Every structure is written in C-alpha cells, then in structure tokens.
Amino acid sequence: MIRHIVAFDRKRGFAKGGVIPWYIPDDEAFFSTETKKYGGNVLVGARTFETFQHPLSERKNYVLTHSSTPIPGAVVVNDLQKFLAEFQEDLWVIGGAVSFEQTLDVADELYITKIDAEFGCDRFYPEYEDKFELVQESQPKSQNGFNFVYTVYRPKR
C-alpha cells in the first residue's frame, strides 16, 4: 500500500523557502508515529531529504534522486517506476512536491493534516479532490495558535 502523509495550509501549501512555515508539535508527533507504522518505509525526494540533515530514525529511508552518489543511512532510488513496480512492502511518500505529484495516481491513502491558515508557501500538494474521497476526519484541534484537523482520503470507487 502506498500512503502519502502531508500537512498543508488552505492553499495546499506545505513549504516556504525549503522549510515548513509553522510549528505544530502534535502534528510532528503524528507524522513520526504514523510513518513508523506498516514497516516504516519512507520515500522522499532529494531536496526534501536534504532539509532533514539526516535519515529519519526508526524508518527505512528511500531517496528519489537523479544522482547515483550513495547516501549514508538511505537507499538511493533513481527510477521511480521500477522502484514502485518491484517494491512489495507498504510505503509512505513524505514529500516533496515532485514526489507527491509522481505518486498521487498510485496512492492508496492520503493522510492530510489540514491547517486553517495561509503561509505564503511556494511548494504545494497536487490537486487530489477529484480522485479521492474523505473517509476519516478528526475533531478540530488547536496548538500554537493554529487550528487543524487530521484527515484520511482514499481513491473514489
């Protein structure tokens, strides 16, 4: 199963200048807990991986990149289609924009934290509403002055 996990604002923005423009500890904990489930395999684009400064602990990190240079603590993925065709385990796609775009059509679930604010982001999650339907939504939450909900979407049947 392929799952996306992302937090974004009202305009589907999730990054500004290469960083997340909000701080919501509960959502960071949610991301950590969820991505360690189902085998803990995460796929991330090279630029997003660079912002982490190290592989995510307790997870197997796969980095989508054009480079063939080895990355300590991660598996380099140069051919996304081949990787997805051969990968038999559950996989979390955790960003960035290109990775989300390239895997949206094969995603089985989208875990989206919707933040009720706008941050002037320059990286956006692709449009998904026509292909996916809401199957789960948390009660509204608030932390650090931000209101948000956790949602899960699945492809429309």
Side-chain angles (χ1 to χ4, degrees):
M1 181 166 297
I2 297 173
R3 296 174 179 88
H4 284 195
I5 188 164
V6 64
F8 60 58
D9 69 10
R10 288 185 202 127
K11 294 185 175 182
R12 295 190 328 276
F14 63 83
K16 182 177 182 178
V19 297
I20 296 172
W22 56 79
Y23 178 60
I24 303 175
D26 285 354
D27 187 55
E28 290 183 5
F30 177 79
F31 172 89
S32 180
T33 299
E34 293 301 313
T35 58
K36 290 175 185 173
K37 292 181 180 177
Y38 312 113
N41 298 300
V42 296
L43 176 69
V44 61
R47 279 187 274 168
T48 301
F49 183 78
E50 287 173 11
T51 67
F52 299 163
Q53 300 178 344
H54 55 79
L56 298 180
S57 65
E58 300 177 56
R59 285 155 281 198
K60 186 157 188 180
N61 293 247
Y62 295 89
V63 180
L64 183 59
T65 179
H66 296 293
S67 172
S68 58
T69 304
I71 299 172
V75 175
V76 170
V77 175
N78 295 126
D79 184 334
L80 178 62
Q81 300 313 319
K82 181 179 178 190
F83 173 76
L84 293 175
E86 295 174 356
F87 197 78
Q88 298 298 311
E89 300 175 53
D90 287 323
L91 182 67
W92 289 98
V93 178
I94 62 173
V98 173
S99 298
F100 286 138
E101 288 169 15
Q102 291 181 339
T103 59
L104 185 64
D105 288 341
V106 296
D108 299 295
E109 290 183 329
L110 311 177
Y111 284 63
I112 300 171
T113 302
K114 294 182 176 182
I115 303 167
D116 189 18
E118 292 181 22
F119 297 91
C121 292
D122 54 21
R123 303 305 275 169
F124 298 89
Y125 191 78
E127 292 187 25
Y128 63 95
E129 295 90 342
D130 291 345
K131 297 177 183 176
F132 291 83
E133 62 186 342
L134 180 67
V135 296
Q136 187 177 332
E137 182 173 277
S138 73
Q139 291 296 315
K141 301 182 178 304
S142 184
Q143 188 175 44
N144 282 354
F146 302 114
N147 298 317
F148 59 98
V149 293
Y150 300 120
T151 63
V152 178
Y153 287 79
R154 290 195 184 114
K156 291 181 178 177
R157 301 288 173 216

mmCIF file with all atom_site columns, all heavy atoms in Angstrom, residues 17-32:
data_model
loop_
_atom_site.group_PDB
_atom_site.id
_atom_site.type_symbol
_atom_site.label_atom_id
_atom_site.label_alt_id
_atom_site.label_comp_id
_atom_site.label_asym_id
_atom_site.label_entity_id
_atom_site.label_seq_id
_atom_site.pdbx_PDB_ins_code
_atom_site.Cartn_x
_atom_site.Cartn_y
_atom_site.Cartn_z
_atom_site.occupancy
_atom_site.B_iso_or_equiv
_atom_site.pdbx_formal_charge
_atom_site.auth_seq_id
_atom_site.auth_comp_id
_atom_site.auth_asym_id
_atom_site.auth_atom_id
_atom_site.pdbx_PDB_model_num
ATOM 1   N N   . GLY A 1 17 ? 10.374 28.429 1.119  1.00 0.00 ? 17 GLY A N   1
ATOM 2   C CA  . GLY A 1 17 ? 11.825 28.569 1.190  1.00 0.00 ? 17 GLY A CA  1
ATOM 3   C C   . GLY A 1 17 ? 12.519 27.309 1.677  1.00 0.00 ? 17 GLY A C   1
ATOM 4   O O   . GLY A 1 17 ? 13.565 27.392 2.318  1.00 0.00 ? 17 GLY A O   1
ATOM 5   N N   . GLY A 1 18 ? 11.930 26.158 1.403  1.00 0.00 ? 18 GLY A N   1
ATOM 6   C CA  . GLY A 1 18 ? 12.546 24.894 1.788  1.00 0.00 ? 18 GLY A CA  1
ATOM 7   C C   . GLY A 1 18 ? 12.282 24.445 3.207  1.00 0.00 ? 18 GLY A C   1
ATOM 8   O O   . GLY A 1 18 ? 12.847 23.447 3.651  1.00 0.00 ? 18 GLY A O   1
ATOM 9   N N   . VAL A 1 19 ? 11.440 25.162 3.934  1.00 0.00 ? 19 VAL A N   1
ATOM 10  C CA  . VAL A 1 19 ? 11.127 24.770 5.314  1.00 0.00 ? 19 VAL A CA  1
ATOM 11  C C   . VAL A 1 19 ? 9.610  24.803 5.542  1.00 0.00 ? 19 VAL A C   1
ATOM 12  O O   . VAL A 1 19 ? 8.873  25.460 4.809  1.00 0.00 ? 19 VAL A O   1
ATOM 13  C CB  . VAL A 1 19 ? 11.824 25.678 6.363  1.00 0.00 ? 19 VAL A CB  1
ATOM 14  C CG1 . VAL A 1 19 ? 13.335 25.550 6.266  1.00 0.00 ? 19 VAL A CG1 1
ATOM 15  C CG2 . VAL A 1 19 ? 11.397 27.115 6.208  1.00 0.00 ? 19 VAL A CG2 1
ATOM 16  N N   . ILE A 1 20 ? 9.185  24.104 6.570  1.00 0.00 ? 20 ILE A N   1
ATOM 17  C CA  . ILE A 1 20 ? 7.779  24.130 6.972  1.00 0.00 ? 20 ILE A CA  1
ATOM 18  C C   . ILE A 1 20 ? 7.564  25.431 7.756  1.00 0.00 ? 20 ILE A C   1
ATOM 19  O O   . ILE A 1 20 ? 8.255  25.675 8.750  1.00 0.00 ? 20 ILE A O   1
ATOM 20  C CB  . ILE A 1 20 ? 7.438  22.903 7.839  1.00 0.00 ? 20 ILE A CB  1
ATOM 21  C CG1 . ILE A 1 20 ? 7.614  21.629 7.008  1.00 0.00 ? 20 ILE A CG1 1
ATOM 22  C CG2 . ILE A 1 20 ? 6.016  23.008 8.386  1.00 0.00 ? 20 ILE A CG2 1
ATOM 23  C CD1 . ILE A 1 20 ? 7.485  20.355 7.812  1.00 0.00 ? 20 ILE A CD1 1
ATOM 24  N N   . PRO A 1 21 ? 6.618  26.276 7.326  1.00 0.00 ? 21 PRO A N   1
ATOM 25  C CA  . PRO A 1 21 ? 6.465  27.598 7.950  1.00 0.00 ? 21 PRO A CA  1
ATOM 26  C C   . PRO A 1 21 ? 5.593  27.653 9.199  1.00 0.00 ? 21 PRO A C   1
ATOM 27  O O   . PRO A 1 21 ? 5.110  28.709 9.567  1.00 0.00 ? 21 PRO A O   1
ATOM 28  C CB  . PRO A 1 21 ? 5.861  28.427 6.817  1.00 0.00 ? 21 PRO A CB  1
ATOM 29  C CG  . PRO A 1 21 ? 5.069  27.452 6.039  1.00 0.00 ? 21 PRO A CG  1
ATOM 30  C CD  . PRO A 1 21 ? 5.828  26.147 6.112  1.00 0.00 ? 21 PRO A CD  1
ATOM 31  N N   . TRP A 1 22 ? 5.381  26.531 9.855  1.00 0.00 ? 22 TRP A N   1
ATOM 32  C CA  . TRP A 1 22 ? 4.616  26.511 11.099 1.00 0.00 ? 22 TRP A CA  1
ATOM 33  C C   . TRP A 1 22 ? 5.272  25.510 12.035 1.00 0.00 ? 22 TRP A C   1
ATOM 34  O O   . TRP A 1 22 ? 6.078  24.692 11.625 1.00 0.00 ? 22 TRP A O   1
ATOM 35  C CB  . TRP A 1 22 ? 3.155  26.118 10.851 1.00 0.00 ? 22 TRP A CB  1
ATOM 36  C CG  . TRP A 1 22 ? 2.997  24.807 10.142 1.00 0.00 ? 22 TRP A CG  1
ATOM 37  C CD1 . TRP A 1 22 ? 3.088  23.550 10.667 1.00 0.00 ? 22 TRP A CD1 1
ATOM 38  C CD2 . TRP A 1 22 ? 2.751  24.612 8.746  1.00 0.00 ? 22 TRP A CD2 1
ATOM 39  N NE1 . TRP A 1 22 ? 2.915  22.588 9.705  1.00 0.00 ? 22 TRP A NE1 1
ATOM 40  C CE2 . TRP A 1 22 ? 2.712  23.220 8.507  1.00 0.00 ? 22 TRP A CE2 1
ATOM 41  C CE3 . TRP A 1 22 ? 2.565  25.483 7.671  1.00 0.00 ? 22 TRP A CE3 1
ATOM 42  C CZ2 . TRP A 1 22 ? 2.478  22.688 7.247  1.00 0.00 ? 22 TRP A CZ2 1
ATOM 43  C CZ3 . TRP A 1 22 ? 2.338  24.935 6.420  1.00 0.00 ? 22 TRP A CZ3 1
ATOM 44  C CH2 . TRP A 1 22 ? 2.302  23.556 6.223  1.00 0.00 ? 22 TRP A CH2 1
ATOM 45  N N   . TYR A 1 23 ? 4.903  25.610 13.303 1.00 0.00 ? 23 TYR A N   1
ATOM 46  C CA  . TYR A 1 23 ? 5.399  24.652 14.285 1.00 0.00 ? 23 TYR A CA  1
ATOM 47  C C   . TYR A 1 23 ? 4.212  24.135 15.073 1.00 0.00 ? 23 TYR A C   1
ATOM 48  O O   . TYR A 1 23 ? 3.600  24.867 15.855 1.00 0.00 ? 23 TYR A O   1
ATOM 49  C CB  . TYR A 1 23 ? 6.427  25.305 15.216 1.00 0.00 ? 23 TYR A CB  1
ATOM 50  C CG  . TYR A 1 23 ? 6.925  24.360 16.290 1.00 0.00 ? 23 TYR A CG  1
ATOM 51  C CD1 . TYR A 1 23 ? 7.573  23.176 15.961 1.00 0.00 ? 23 TYR A CD1 1
ATOM 52  C CD2 . TYR A 1 23 ? 6.730  24.647 17.636 1.00 0.00 ? 23 TYR A CD2 1
ATOM 53  C CE1 . TYR A 1 23 ? 8.024  22.299 16.937 1.00 0.00 ? 23 TYR A CE1 1
ATOM 54  C CE2 . TYR A 1 23 ? 7.185  23.778 18.623 1.00 0.00 ? 23 TYR A CE2 1
ATOM 55  C CZ  . TYR A 1 23 ? 7.827  22.611 18.267 1.00 0.00 ? 23 TYR A CZ  1
ATOM 56  O OH  . TYR A 1 23 ? 8.271  21.739 19.230 1.00 0.00 ? 23 TYR A OH  1
ATOM 57  N N   . ILE A 1 24 ? 3.854  22.880 14.806 1.00 0.00 ? 24 ILE A N   1
ATOM 58  C CA  . ILE A 1 24 ? 2.748  22.219 15.499 1.00 0.00 ? 24 ILE A CA  1
ATOM 59  C C   . ILE A 1 24 ? 3.290  20.889 16.024 1.00 0.00 ? 24 ILE A C   1
ATOM 60  O O   . ILE A 1 24 ? 3.325  19.896 15.297 1.00 0.00 ? 24 ILE A O   1
ATOM 61  C CB  . ILE A 1 24 ? 1.541  22.004 14.556 1.00 0.00 ? 24 ILE A CB  1
ATOM 62  C CG1 . ILE A 1 24 ? 1.079  23.342 13.959 1.00 0.00 ? 24 ILE A CG1 1
ATOM 63  C CG2 . ILE A 1 24 ? 0.403  21.315 15.312 1.00 0.00 ? 24 ILE A CG2 1
ATOM 64  C CD1 . ILE A 1 24 ? -0.029 23.216 12.926 1.00 0.00 ? 24 ILE A CD1 1
ATOM 65  N N   . PRO A 1 25 ? 3.765  20.869 17.272 1.00 0.00 ? 25 PRO A N   1
ATOM 66  C CA  . PRO A 1 25 ? 4.358  19.650 17.825 1.00 0.00 ? 25 PRO A CA  1
ATOM 67  C C   . PRO A 1 25 ? 3.472  18.415 17.722 1.00 0.00 ? 25 PRO A C   1
ATOM 68  O O   . PRO A 1 25 ? 3.969  17.318 17.442 1.00 0.00 ? 25 PRO A O   1
ATOM 69  C CB  . PRO A 1 25 ? 4.641  20.013 19.289 1.00 0.00 ? 25 PRO A CB  1
ATOM 70  C CG  . PRO A 1 25 ? 4.773  21.499 19.284 1.00 0.00 ? 25 PRO A CG  1
ATOM 71  C CD  . PRO A 1 25 ? 3.814  21.984 18.232 1.00 0.00 ? 25 PRO A CD  1
ATOM 72  N N   . ASP A 1 26 ? 2.159  18.567 17.921 1.00 0.00 ? 26 ASP A N   1
ATOM 73  C CA  . ASP A 1 26 ? 1.265  17.408 17.832 1.00 0.00 ? 26 ASP A CA  1
ATOM 74  C C   . ASP A 1 26 ? 1.299  16.804 16.431 1.00 0.00 ? 26 ASP A C   1
ATOM 75  O O   . ASP A 1 26 ? 1.253  15.584 16.275 1.00 0.00 ? 26 ASP A O   1
ATOM 76  C CB  . ASP A 1 26 ? -0.175 17.783 18.200 1.00 0.00 ? 26 ASP A CB  1
ATOM 77  C CG  . ASP A 1 26 ? -0.369 17.966 19.695 1.00 0.00 ? 26 ASP A CG  1
ATOM 78  O OD1 . ASP A 1 26 ? 0.573  17.694 20.477 1.00 0.00 ? 26 ASP A OD1 1
ATOM 79  O OD2 . ASP A 1 26 ? -1.478 18.399 20.092 1.00 0.00 ? 26 ASP A OD2 1
ATOM 80  N N   . ASP A 1 27 ? 1.373  17.647 15.410 1.00 0.00 ? 27 ASP A N   1
ATOM 81  C CA  . ASP A 1 27 ? 1.415  17.131 14.050 1.00 0.00 ? 27 ASP A CA  1
ATOM 82  C C   . ASP A 1 27 ? 2.752  16.468 13.762 1.00 0.00 ? 27 ASP A C   1
ATOM 83  O O   . ASP A 1 27 ? 2.810  15.459 13.058 1.00 0.00 ? 27 ASP A O   1
ATOM 84  C CB  . ASP A 1 27 ? 1.121  18.220 13.014 1.00 0.00 ? 27 ASP A CB  1
ATOM 85  C CG  . ASP A 1 27 ? 0.998  17.623 11.626 1.00 0.00 ? 27 ASP A CG  1
ATOM 86  O OD1 . ASP A 1 27 ? 0.176  16.706 11.449 1.00 0.00 ? 27 ASP A OD1 1
ATOM 87  O OD2 . ASP A 1 27 ? 1.753  18.050 10.733 1.00 0.00 ? 27 ASP A OD2 1
ATOM 88  N N   . GLU A 1 28 ? 3.833  17.015 14.300 1.00 0.00 ? 28 GLU A N   1
ATOM 89  C CA  . GLU A 1 28 ? 5.138  16.368 14.137 1.00 0.00 ? 28 GLU A CA  1
ATOM 90  C C   . GLU A 1 28 ? 5.132  14.984 14.779 1.00 0.00 ? 28 GLU A C   1
ATOM 91  O O   . GLU A 1 28 ? 5.664  14.023 14.212 1.00 0.00 ? 28 GLU A O   1
ATOM 92  C CB  . GLU A 1 28 ? 6.251  17.240 14.712 1.00 0.00 ? 28 GLU A CB  1
ATOM 93  C CG  . GLU A 1 28 ? 6.497  18.486 13.886 1.00 0.00 ? 28 GLU A CG  1
ATOM 94  C CD  . GLU A 1 28 ? 7.644  19.329 14.408 1.00 0.00 ? 28 GLU A CD  1
ATOM 95  O OE1 . GLU A 1 28 ? 8.346  18.920 15.364 1.00 0.00 ? 28 GLU A OE1 1
ATOM 96  O OE2 . GLU A 1 28 ? 7.855  20.420 13.842 1.00 0.00 ? 28 GLU A OE2 1
ATOM 97  N N   . ALA A 1 29 ? 4.514  14.874 15.950 1.00 0.00 ? 29 ALA A N   1
ATOM 98  C CA  . ALA A 1 29 ? 4.412  13.574 16.625 1.00 0.00 ? 29 ALA A CA  1
ATOM 99  C C   . ALA A 1 29 ? 3.529  12.621 15.819 1.00 0.00 ? 29 ALA A C   1
ATOM 100 O O   . ALA A 1 29 ? 3.840  11.429 15.694 1.00 0.00 ? 29 ALA A O   1
ATOM 101 C CB  . ALA A 1 29 ? 3.859  13.758 18.038 1.00 0.00 ? 29 ALA A CB  1
ATOM 102 N N   . PHE A 1 30 ? 2.431  13.137 15.264 1.00 0.00 ? 30 PHE A N   1
ATOM 103 C CA  . PHE A 1 30 ? 1.547  12.332 14.425 1.00 0.00 ? 30 PHE A CA  1
ATOM 104 C C   . PHE A 1 30 ? 2.316  11.790 13.218 1.00 0.00 ? 30 PHE A C   1
ATOM 105 O O   . PHE A 1 30 ? 2.248  10.605 12.910 1.00 0.00 ? 30 PHE A O   1
ATOM 106 C CB  . PHE A 1 30 ? 0.357  13.188 13.967 1.00 0.00 ? 30 PHE A CB  1
ATOM 107 C CG  . PHE A 1 30 ? -0.589 12.488 13.040 1.00 0.00 ? 30 PHE A CG  1
ATOM 108 C CD1 . PHE A 1 30 ? -1.534 11.602 13.528 1.00 0.00 ? 30 PHE A CD1 1
ATOM 109 C CD2 . PHE A 1 30 ? -0.551 12.738 11.675 1.00 0.00 ? 30 PHE A CD2 1
ATOM 110 C CE1 . PHE A 1 30 ? -2.413 10.958 12.666 1.00 0.00 ? 30 PHE A CE1 1
ATOM 111 C CE2 . PHE A 1 30 ? -1.423 12.103 10.805 1.00 0.00 ? 30 PHE A CE2 1
ATOM 112 C CZ  . PHE A 1 30 ? -2.355 11.212 11.306 1.00 0.00 ? 30 PHE A CZ  1
ATOM 113 N N   . PHE A 1 31 ? 3.074  12.654 12.546 1.00 0.00 ? 31 PHE A N   1
ATOM 114 C CA  . PHE A 1 31 ? 3.888  12.251 11.395 1.00 0.00 ? 31 PHE A CA  1
ATOM 115 C C   . PHE A 1 31 ? 4.863  11.144 11.792 1.00 0.00 ? 31 PHE A C   1
ATOM 116 O O   . PHE A 1 31 ? 4.972  10.118 11.120 1.00 0.00 ? 31 PHE A O   1
ATOM 117 C CB  . PHE A 1 31 ? 4.650  13.459 10.853 1.00 0.00 ? 31 PHE A CB  1
ATOM 118 C CG  . PHE A 1 31 ? 5.652  13.123 9.784  1.00 0.00 ? 31 PHE A CG  1
ATOM 119 C CD1 . PHE A 1 31 ? 5.286  13.104 8.451  1.00 0.00 ? 31 PHE A CD1 1
ATOM 120 C CD2 . PHE A 1 31 ? 6.971  12.832 10.103 1.00 0.00 ? 31 PHE A CD2 1
ATOM 121 C CE1 . PHE A 1 31 ? 6.204  12.791 7.454  1.00 0.00 ? 31 PHE A CE1 1
ATOM 122 C CE2 . PHE A 1 31 ? 7.898  12.511 9.125  1.00 0.00 ? 31 PHE A CE2 1
ATOM 123 C CZ  . PHE A 1 31 ? 7.508  12.483 7.799  1.00 0.00 ? 31 PHE A CZ  1
ATOM 124 N N   . SER A 1 32 ? 5.542  11.332 12.902 1.00 0.00 ? 32 SER A N   1
ATOM 125 C CA  . SER A 1 32 ? 6.528  10.352 13.356 1.00 0.00 ? 32 SER A CA  1
ATOM 126 C C   . SER A 1 32 ? 5.871  9.012  13.664 1.00 0.00 ? 32 SER A C   1
ATOM 127 O O   . SER A 1 32 ? 6.337  7.960  13.214 1.00 0.00 ? 32 SER A O   1
ATOM 128 C CB  . SER A 1 32 ? 7.265  10.884 14.582 1.00 0.00 ? 32 SER A CB  1
ATOM 129 O OG  . SER A 1 32 ? 8.222  9.961  15.029 1.00 0.00 ? 32 SER A OG  1
#
